[in-house]
Amino acid sequence: MSEKLAKILNAATTCIARSGVRGMRVNDVAAEAGVSPGLLYYHFTDRAGLLAATLEHINKQVSKDDAAASPDAEDRTGHFRHLLLDEIKDDADVRRNSVAWNELRACSIFEHELAEPLSRTTKEWNREITQAIVAASEGTGEDEAAVTAEILTSLVEGISGRWLNGFITTDHARSLLTTAIDSLTAGRPTASQEPAAQGLAK
């Protein structure tokens, strides 16, 4: 993605987090990004296209940030946990993205043009978590991991809503999510335990 497109999508995320989906205007996004409204229509065709692209942009932020922060692929269990826990933390960009995601998700009930892109990005998120669980847990099948992933991503959405509303603190939200992760993955040998297990087998 070009720097200009990323700037536009960050601006759209900011506008949604500030004014909601219904309050977001293409002209406001253009002003926030410092570009002409015509450039937005050139890249995204219409407001619905901009919203769909913004959903996909938000969905990619945590995995991108986590990959940059944790280049060591050996810590696959830590990577899986970070993909979920990094959705809730005291960081301005994380909070902004979470507000925008929750707003887009809520509005999709009534704004049907959001339903398909939201369904697609949610499936991508579930698939990413599924793959991370399989990589982190020796012997876990993809079907089992997919069920766990869907439960955990649903929990993230519910817990983050209470966190954003100020009903629970960041620490408590992360503690609840950690408890859920531990409960749902209890008893599964991690990928880091695989070499030792193979050694014992010999």
Side-chain angles (χ1 to χ4, degrees), residues 27-190:
N27 285 353
D28 294 337
V29 175
E32 182 76 25
V35 300
S36 70
L39 186 64
L40 270 68
Y41 287 111
Y42 172 77
H43 284 295
F44 305 106
T45 306
D46 54 21
R47 183 174 179 275
L50 176 60
L51 289 173
T54 303
L55 264 171
E56 293 181 7
H57 179 69
I58 294 170
N59 194 45
K60 292 174 181 175
Q61 294 309 296
V62 172
S63 57
K64 181 189 74 174
D65 293 343
D66 184 68
S70 305
D72 188 355
E74 293 181 5
D75 188 11
R76 287 171 284 184
T77 302
H79 175 70
F80 154 58
R81 286 175 172 272
H82 279 303
L83 284 172
L84 293 165
L85 289 170
D86 280 3
E87 297 278 357
I88 302 173
K89 62 181 182 180
D90 289 325
D91 178 272
D93 287 340
V94 170
R95 181 174 285 273
R96 179 201 64 178
N97 288 345
S98 189
V99 169
W101 175 274
N102 277 278
E103 168 67 7
L104 286 158
R105 180 170 57 86
C107 286
S108 70
I109 297 171
F110 302 104
E111 300 204 18
H112 299 300
E113 69 272 14
L114 286 174
E116 191 280 327
L118 181 67
S119 175
R120 185 175 66 250
T121 51
T122 300
K123 286 176 182 177
E124 289 173 2
W125 186 21
N126 286 338
R127 186 161 49 248
E128 180 181 23
I129 300 301
T130 297
Q131 291 169 351
I133 292 171
V134 170
S137 306
E138 171 64 12
T140 299
E142 190 158 337
D143 289 345
E144 180 186 359
V147 172
T148 301
E150 190 161 6
I151 292 170
L152 287 170
T153 57
S154 297
L155 281 172
V156 169
E157 289 184 334
I159 291 171
S160 69
R162 295 188 179 188
W163 166 61
L164 292 169
N165 283 327
F167 298 158
I168 55 177
T169 65
T170 302
D171 287 344
H172 187 52
R174 288 172 64 89
S175 176
L176 290 173
L177 187 52
T178 298
T179 299
I181 293 170
D182 290 343
S183 177
L184 287 167
T185 59
R188 294 177 181 169
T190 64

